[in-house]
Amino acid sequence: MVVPPWYELPPPGYGGLEQVVSALVDGLAALGHDVTLFGAGSGTGTAAEFVGTDQLQNSRLGQALPELAHVARTNRMIADGDFDIVHDHTTIGPLAASRRETPTVATVHGAPVGELADILKGVDPQVALVAISHSQRALVRGLPWVATVHNAMAGSGVSKPAPSDGPVVWLARFSPDKGPDLAIEAAREAGLPLVLAGKCTEPGEAQYLAEVIEPMLGPDVTLLRNPERETCAELLLRARCLIMPIRWSEPFGMVMLEAMSAGTPVVALNRGAVPELVRHGETGFVHEDPAELPQSLRDVLGLDPAACVEHVRTQFGADRMARAYERVYRRWVSNDRSAPLEREMMVTSAT
């Protein structure tokens, strides 16, 4: 299992990819597989055997050279080892996978457009590309996808027994794509308090927060910068709902699973993978127009927290994700690649 060099597994704060891979590693271990995790830092809290390549590089998040160096070191270690399959979660790794003798499955965690699409179009066809949502897969035609496996999470075991009249919570990175300004407008129109809890570690995020969001703040909005994961979990547990007014085709959106697993419904705009995750009228509300959000913020107290928890447990459990990937691995190791793995897709209908 190869992960980027940015954060630990499991992540102490921000890190949706790392949260997913942590659940996958433990899910595969529970199925009896021996998992070796190639990452940065000094160790892991997962069930994998950890092999470190360097110090964590989160201060250089998104830069090409740290990930290139990490992948190069990892490839040398893989060549010296004895592995049945390599599962790569890095951006650059799939391009270098053709140099590996071991078969490679690569999960694409970002939106495959622009430069990322160019990278993926250059990936060797012997690398199995896996999408994390049908929406992500539809963003660009012509990529050799072999399966779609929805992300999943390990159950937290903590959920609310009844709807909460706490604040509306927005939890994301500070970016126009994530719509914190729309969250403020919707909560204010609904007459409800709002907590904005977001990642703000990069210059663009800090600039957007200072120039666009902070001038919109008032006594009805609480601002939290870079909250730890425990804080995020507590916020979601106490929240009236999670608001997800995104402006872009989000490939997945782990925070929606985190909210629903705590019994907290999601109020979102119909963008990206949102309708694959949220069942309208049951685990939240999904709308086309931001003007529809305020009424749903008022209406969420009529939704059953138990339905949210059960939806995540049955459709997005770590065991289900692990078994779906296990089928992809077996097919790729056996070299039976005559047809796309459509029947191996982890299909979740949220309609």
Side-chain angles (χ1 to χ4, degrees):
M1 196 74 64
V2 184
V3 294
W6 317 126
Y7 299 108
E8 300 170 347
L9 269 71
Y14 184 81
L17 180 156
E18 289 77 13
Q19 183 186 7
V20 172
V21 179
S22 296
L24 175 58
V25 165
D26 290 345
L28 290 169
L31 292 175
H33 297 286
D34 295 325
V35 183
T36 300
L37 176 66
F38 292 91
S42 58
T44 178
T46 70
E49 177 184 350
F50 181 76
V51 178
T53 64
D54 200 353
Q55 297 177 346
L56 290 170
Q57 300 293 316
N58 47 58
S59 64
R60 303 169 72 189
L61 178 66
Q63 295 182 25
L65 282 178
E67 190 174 67
L68 275 170
H70 171 63
V71 168
R73 297 183 190 111
T74 297
N75 278 358
R76 290 195 293 270
M77 295 177 187
I78 290 172
D80 292 337
D82 181 19
F83 303 101
D84 296 317
I85 193 84
V86 175
H87 190 167
D88 201 317
H89 297 269
T90 67
T91 301
I92 296 169
L95 272 180
S98 61
R99 300 174 62 89
R100 300 170 183 158
E101 293 186 7
T102 307
T104 294
V105 171
T107 296
V108 179
H109 290 274
V113 296
E115 293 173 330
L116 180 55
D118 291 337
I119 290 173
L120 295 174
K121 288 174 182 177
V123 171
D124 190 283
Q126 294 304 304
V127 176
L129 289 184
V130 177
I132 57 175
S133 69
H134 307 307
S135 168
Q136 180 202 42
R137 187 167 174 157
L139 283 174
V140 60
R141 302 296 179 184
L143 291 180
W145 301 109
V146 302
T148 299
V149 180
H150 280 139
N151 287 339
M153 62 178 293
S156 66
V158 180
S159 60
K160 65 185 71 175
S164 170
D165 196 19
V168 175
V169 170
W170 174 92
L171 183 57
R173 55 184 168 82
F174 281 101
S175 163
D177 288 342
K178 298 291 190 175
D181 56 320
L182 297 178
I184 294 173
E185 292 171 354
R188 192 162 284 160
E189 175 67 23
L192 296 169
L194 172 70
V195 175
L196 291 179
K199 173 181 171 289
C200 186
T201 58
E202 299 179 53
E205 295 164 348
Q207 181 178 1
Y208 175 69
L209 175 60
E211 295 181 0
V212 178
I213 299 304
E214 288 185 341
M216 297 180 67
L217 300 181
D220 55 342
V221 181
T222 300
L223 176 64
L224 295 177
R225 296 178 179 86
N226 305 313
E228 294 293 319
R229 184 156 294 278
E230 292 80 5
T231 301
C232 295
E234 182 63 26
L235 282 172
L236 291 174
L237 187 63
R238 295 188 296 105
R240 180 189 191 93
C241 65
L242 173 74
I243 186 168
M244 192 87 171
I246 54 175
R247 290 186 170 98
W248 73 306
S249 294
E250 182 112 21
F252 197 78
M254 280 298 294
V255 68
M256 290 184 278
L257 296 192
E258 294 178 66
M260 291 185 291
S261 72
T264 298
V266 178
V267 175
L269 291 178
N270 188 11
R271 311 284 187 268
V274 166
E276 296 178 46
L277 276 62
V278 181
R279 285 182 171 159
H280 181 75
E282 182 178 343
T283 68
F285 296 107
V286 180
H287 296 295
E288 299 292 339
D289 190 340
E292 299 175 280
L293 297 175
Q295 185 59 50
S296 286
L297 295 181
R298 301 185 189 101
D299 293 343
V300 289
L301 295 187
L303 300 179
D304 183 5
C308 298
V309 176
E310 183 67 6
H311 176 55
V312 175
R313 186 188 70 80
T314 59
Q315 302 300 320
F316 299 99
D319 56 340
R320 191 164 190 246
M321 174 176 62
R323 291 186 185 279
Y325 274 117
E326 184 182 52
R327 293 193 293 271
V328 177
Y329 300 158
R330 292 190 188 282
R331 182 79 172 272
W332 221 243
V333 168
S334 70
N335 205 32
D336 181 11
R337 308 171 191 177
S338 58
L341 287 166
E342 295 298 331
R343 69 174 182 272
E344 311 296 353
M345 290 164 60
M346 182 179 175
V347 178
T348 303
S349 174
T351 58

